Amino acid sequence: MTDLSTTIADRTFSNCMMNAAGVRCADENDLNQLIASPAGAYVTKSATPNVREGNPEPRMKSLPGGCINSMGLPNHGLDYYLDFVLKDQAARPDKTNLLSIAGTTLEDNLAMLHKVADSDFNGFVELNLSCPNVPGKPQVGYDFDRVREILTQVFAFYDKPLGVKLPPYFDLVHFDQIAAVLNDFPLTFVNSINSVGNGLVIDPNAERVAIKLGGLGGIGGTFIKPTALANVRGLSLRLKPEIAIIGTGGVMNGTDVFEHILCGASMVQVGTQFGFEGTRIFKRLSKELSAIMAAKGYQSIDDFKGKLKTFDD
Ligand code: RRO
């Protein structure tokens, strides 16, 4: 029997797979479907303080094996998601879930975190520092001094479990720089990676961009797996062991989950393909990962987590 459970800090999750923020998690109906699925946890759509419409449509385009989006943070506002997770927590006190927060300013993030701090919520907050789709608002995760400033202000008062959602990094110096910042804070986890920002998808027949906002948006799906794995591995080698890693990006099948865990992920999130398949994907991925583990004689994910070999080993 293979055991797909995982642990982050002092919390155990019955399954190491869950949804990625943004995909099919924006309302109660979506979230209740996740609760009813084999996913080990859910994360709510990134919240802003108030309801937000997001960017003009079309703002998402499916591609073979992936997608591009310029959603622009459409969400029901923090109160809606906080209310949902609090009710769920009361009904299922043994479960830990993630509340995603993505203020477009530091003040908004601090105000939301004060509200969460003052509530009974005892799950994980995922602070999104990497939304690529808010015009005029750069992805904070690329400004290392700003990340330090934000985390300094957050941890001055917030003392419940908190992690950050990071953008992909592409240069090893940037891995060193972000890790040096993150290691100075009592983070519970980092989630790597968000969509790969500002790709351009074109409809060649129409000779036009595929989505609004000039056609630019975050790319997800198979194209981004090598970037995601490099980031999970790169952070795993650099972060202090108390900071767990959630691996996200390019997960289509059980092998992809296996590879994320080999690179050091304790939990794996599924975005694009979850959007295509819905919650039944968690049963399929669980079956596929279990089969890989059984064939290799692994009983638990700790048997291979972070144990990627190189030619130097
Ligand atoms: O809503 C979005 O446009 C969005 C967000 Br907040 C994010 O973090 N990542 C993404 O690809 N889209």
Side-chain angles (χ1 to χ4, degrees):
M1 264 298 280
T2 51
D3 175 6
L4 301 184
S5 71
T6 192
T7 301
I8 293 180
D10 61 349
R11 312 297 174 92
T12 299
F13 300 84
S14 58
N15 189 302
C16 61
M17 290 166 253
M18 61 180 289
N19 69 302
V23 184
R24 293 180 184 262
C25 60
D27 61 32
E28 280 189 13
N29 179 42
D30 287 338
L31 293 166
N32 282 324
Q33 288 189 40
L34 280 160
I35 288 174
S37 83
Y42 61 79
V43 56
T44 53
K45 169 69 188 171
S46 292
T48 48
N50 299 305
V51 179
R52 208 181 134 91
E53 291 295 323
N55 293 329
E57 296 183 350
R59 56 191 185 184
M60 215 276 281
K61 169 87 178 154
S62 298
L63 309 165
C67 72
I68 183 168
N69 88 83
S70 64
M71 302 300 287
L73 264 170
N75 76 93
H76 291 288
L78 177 69
D79 290 352
Y80 180 93
Y81 300 106
L82 187 54
D83 186 56
F84 184 89
V85 294
L86 286 172
K87 283 190 181 132
D88 183 31
Q89 185 179 292
R92 304 184 308 148
D94 52 325
K95 298 284 182 191
T96 296
N97 291 293
L98 284 66
L99 178 68
S100 174
I101 281 178
T104 57
T105 62
L106 172 57
E107 292 66 36
D108 279 359
N109 277 326
L110 295 176
M112 286 192 283
L113 286 171
H114 271 295
K115 214 172 207 179
V116 180
D118 292 343
S119 78
D120 288 334
F121 182 62
N122 66 11
F124 292 178
V125 162
E126 183 175 284
L127 179 62
N128 185 351
L129 300 180
S130 48
C131 176
N133 299 324
V134 180
K137 300 283 178 186
Q139 291 171 80
V140 174
Y142 288 132
D143 182 339
F144 304 112
D145 293 339
R146 186 72 173 156
V147 173
R148 180 177 292 284
E149 188 184 335
I150 291 169
L151 293 181
T152 300
Q153 296 209 32
V154 166
F155 284 114
F157 70 92
Y158 196 82
D159 60 4
K160 301 182 194 186
L162 180 136
V164 286
K165 177 97 176 253
L166 298 172
Y169 299 102
F170 299 95
D171 191 294
L172 297 189
V173 169
H174 295 157
F175 289 146
D176 292 339
Q177 289 174 340
I178 190 67
V181 173
L182 300 174
N183 280 332
D184 283 342
F185 296 95
L187 285 159
T188 300
F189 67 92
V190 303
N191 183 346
S192 176
I193 59 174
N194 207 319
S195 56
V196 175
N198 294 303
L200 175 62
V201 172
I202 291 170
D203 174 350
N205 291 323
E207 302 176 19
R208 193 187 55 207
V209 296
I211 56 171
K212 286 209 178 162
L213 283 198
L216 298 174
I219 307 289
T222 47
F223 327 108
I224 74 166
K225 189 176 81 166
T227 300
L229 294 179
N231 276 262
V232 171
R233 166 92 167 152
L235 291 170
S236 169
L237 293 174
R238 289 169 176 80
L239 292 178
K240 57 187 179 183
E242 304 92 283
I243 304 180
I245 297 174
I246 299 178
T248 307
V251 174
M252 304 285 151
N253 56 47
T255 304
D256 301 325
V257 179
F258 183 75
E259 291 179 3
H260 267 276
I261 296 170
L262 263 186
C263 287
S266 295
M267 189 136 204
V268 177
Q269 293 187 348
V270 196
T272 299
Q273 191 63 24
F274 168 52
F276 294 162
E277 272 179 65
T279 51
R280 67 179 183 277
I281 194 173
F282 296 107
K283 191 170 172 195
R284 175 173 72 78
L285 294 179
S286 298
K287 229 169 111 184
E288 291 172 4
L289 179 62
S290 290
I292 293 165
M293 289 170 61
K296 290 171 176 284
Y298 295 144
Q299 275 152 18
S300 73
I301 74 161
D302 281 339
D303 290 346
F304 59 98
K305 186 168 96 184
K307 295 189 178 167
L308 182 67
K309 294 185 265 243
T310 69
F311 285 104
D312 303 324
D313 295 320

